[in-house]
Amino acid sequence: MKVLKISCFHLRTPLRLQFAQANQNTQRADSVSVRLQTEEGSVGYGEACPRTYVTGESAQEVMQALREMKTALCRTRFSTLHDIETWTSQQLAGGSGPALGCALELALLDAWSWEYQQDLAEEFTLERAPQEVNYSGVLPFGNWQKLRPMLAQFSFRSWKFKARTEVEANEQRIKDMQGLFGLDIPIRMDANGGWNLAQARRQIEAGLTLGVQSFEQPLK
């Protein structure tokens, strides 16, 4: 398989409310989609969500990098999954960002599976995905009285919320969520690197006492 054309698209999805967390506030969701077409006419799509505060990349930087590597990509032959793995690993080792590698690898895998009519689930010896996919809700900073009517419309089987530095504020948020969703709904806390070590120890102890199941990125 050889790539003939590559296109990329910057998708900006506006949010109905500002999504606030410890290290970033945003009013839109940014992602980059990649479309590859092979010499045989197969097409593959990939997508990634570059974030300067997560992957170290912006959408503009990912698109510029894609344009710069177009020539090298089109000169490479991908006959096996190992070829895709090797090429992607080389890009990451050479300094390419993880979002860029994600979008390209997904697009290459998609195109390869069409080109050679191979089932990726079988190739990777994966179990079939269930017919029903369960999503987790993510709760940003915000006034509970304003957020509650919106949250009540969802029936997610688990939730995580963006944690603050104040223990009392987080404890109240946990109690509010449990009052709305019930005590059996799994809850996770995401600090986005906003705590120091002493705060993390106190926050985790308090969260565990109230039934929080896990803590994401407590430290920088």
Side-chain angles (χ1 to χ4, degrees):
M1 180 185 82
K2 290 194 70 176
V3 175
L4 179 65
K5 298 179 181 179
I6 178 172
S7 305
C8 56
F9 311 91
H10 185 189
L11 306 178
R12 294 181 175 182
T13 307
L15 305 177
R16 294 187 179 182
L17 53 83
Q18 184 183 69
F19 197 93
Q21 57 193 47
N23 60 2
Q24 182 76 14
N25 296 338
T26 185
Q27 290 186 303
R28 68 171 185 264
D30 282 325
S31 62
V32 173
S33 290
V34 176
R35 180 185 187 274
L36 302 180
Q37 181 178 330
T38 72
E39 292 180 342
E40 297 296 323
S42 302
V43 175
Y45 292 91
E47 184 178 5
C49 299
R51 299 286 187 271
T52 54
Y53 54 94
V54 178
T55 70
E57 309 152 278
S58 67
Q60 291 76 17
E61 289 171 336
V62 169
M63 295 177 73
Q64 179 60 33
L66 283 167
R67 288 189 285 267
E68 292 174 354
M69 67 170 52
K70 178 179 179 180
T71 300
L73 181 64
C74 292
R75 289 176 177 171
T76 306
R77 182 172 294 279
F78 301 94
S79 300
T80 66
L81 292 177
H82 181 68
D83 293 337
I84 297 175
E85 178 185 10
T86 299
W87 190 85
T88 305
S89 298
Q90 289 173 346
Q91 304 312 305
L92 293 173
S96 294
L100 173 63
C102 172
L104 276 174
E105 186 174 48
L106 287 172
L108 286 167
L109 289 170
D110 190 22
W112 184 89
S113 66
W114 285 106
E115 184 98 343
Y116 298 109
Q117 290 296 290
Q118 297 296 315
D119 188 312
L120 287 178
E122 294 180 359
E123 291 294 321
F124 290 121
T125 62
L126 301 175
E127 294 184 3
R128 287 290 172 187
Q131 292 296 315
E132 181 181 272
V133 178
N134 295 317
Y135 289 88
S136 174
V138 183
L139 183 59
F141 290 170
N143 182 281
W144 177 253
Q145 297 306 318
K146 292 182 178 180
L147 291 170
R148 190 185 190 284
M150 290 184 287
L151 302 179
Q153 300 179 51
F154 296 101
S155 56
F156 294 122
R157 297 185 182 180
S158 66
W159 283 87
K160 81 171 180 179
F161 72 94
K162 298 299 182 176
R164 296 183 179 274
T165 56
E166 304 84 10
V167 173
E168 295 76 13
N170 292 330
E171 288 179 330
Q172 186 59 52
R173 181 51 54 93
I174 295 167
K175 293 175 182 177
D176 288 336
M177 294 174 70
Q178 290 175 335
L180 178 60
F181 304 123
L183 296 175
D184 295 331
I185 292 294
I187 293 179
R188 313 185 312 279
M189 291 174 67
D190 185 2
N192 288 107
W195 301 335
N196 59 36
L197 181 57
Q199 289 172 327
R201 285 173 169 164
R202 188 181 175 202
Q203 294 277 9
I204 292 172
E205 181 179 0
L208 289 173
T209 300
L210 291 173
V212 174
Q213 292 196 350
S214 63
F215 304 83
E216 182 177 341
Q217 199 187 358
L219 307 175
K220 292 182 179 180

